[in-house]
Amino acid sequence: MTEKTLAGGCLCGGIRFRIHRPVRDVWVCHCSQCRRTSGHYWATTAVALERFELTESKTLRWFRSSEKARRGFCHSCGASLFWHRDKSEQMNISAGSIDGPTELFTERHIYLDDAGDYYQIHPQELLETGKAMDDN
Ligand SMILES: [Zn+2]
Ligand SMILES: [Zn+2]
């Protein structure tokens, strides 16, 4: 039975959140900003703001990563958790921070033009890629 509510948080527990389905399936972003902040490509789900709830945020900090977006991270353990475009009605959330089972699947890779040169992506994974989205 699919749980209607998913919970998650950072490594140290200073940030905890709950999200309520429906949530978007996972997109993997290969842009240089995501790679720098996460250490590799970054897998996220997304949910409408009204279905996103911070239940613990004592270590949450926001970093303005571009003119149109900011990133939420834990200043204690260093986890990259959130990406929010200014005025957007949805929050992007790192898939790896969600307590499993998530029952989500990876449906898309984006910003492949900006991917690092140190890894390869199996063609099978790209079947659902579609076009790169101008999302950052
Ligand atoms: Zn933390
Ligand atoms: Zn990105």
Side-chain angles (χ1 to χ4, degrees):
M1 173 91 187
T2 301
E3 294 293 334
K4 194 139 176 58
T5 297
L6 294 167
C10 67
L11 185 56
C12 75
I15 304 168
R16 293 290 298 170
F17 60 83
R18 286 197 298 202
I19 53 179
H20 308 280
R21 292 186 202 271
V23 303
R24 196 196 66 205
D25 276 309
V26 174
W27 290 10
V28 178
C29 185
H30 296 260
C31 83
S32 60
Q33 287 183 15
C34 285
R35 287 190 291 111
R36 284 192 191 280
T37 193
S38 72
H40 197 23
Y41 47 70
W42 199 41
T44 62
T45 182
V47 67
L49 286 181
E50 67 260 24
R51 294 198 297 274
F52 170 74
E53 187 186 349
L54 276 171
T55 53
E56 177 60 75
S57 61
K58 62 176 182 271
T59 57
L60 176 61
R61 295 292 184 276
W62 289 95
F63 172 69
R64 176 149 293 283
S65 54
S66 74
E67 282 179 9
K68 52 188 176 181
R70 57 189 192 140
R71 290 170 185 269
F73 67 99
C74 175
H75 81 86
S76 178
C77 71
S80 301
L81 293 188
F82 309 125
W83 182 85
H84 183 243
R85 184 204 289 269
D86 297 347
K87 300 186 185 114
S88 169
E89 290 300 310
Q90 66 172 16
M91 181 66 71
N92 287 260
I93 299 162
S94 87
S97 69
I98 300 170
D99 306 339
T102 68
E103 298 182 51
L104 298 173
F105 71 98
T106 297
E107 65 173 0
R108 179 175 292 180
H109 287 255
I110 60 173
Y111 282 96
L112 284 164
D113 291 351
D114 207 13
D117 65 358
Y118 60 91
Y119 56 88
Q120 293 73 42
I121 303 158
H122 193 281
Q124 203 74 35
E125 294 183 61
L126 298 179
L127 289 175
E128 296 287 332
T129 295
K131 59 188 185 305
M133 308 281 289
D134 181 25
D135 207 20
N136 275 19

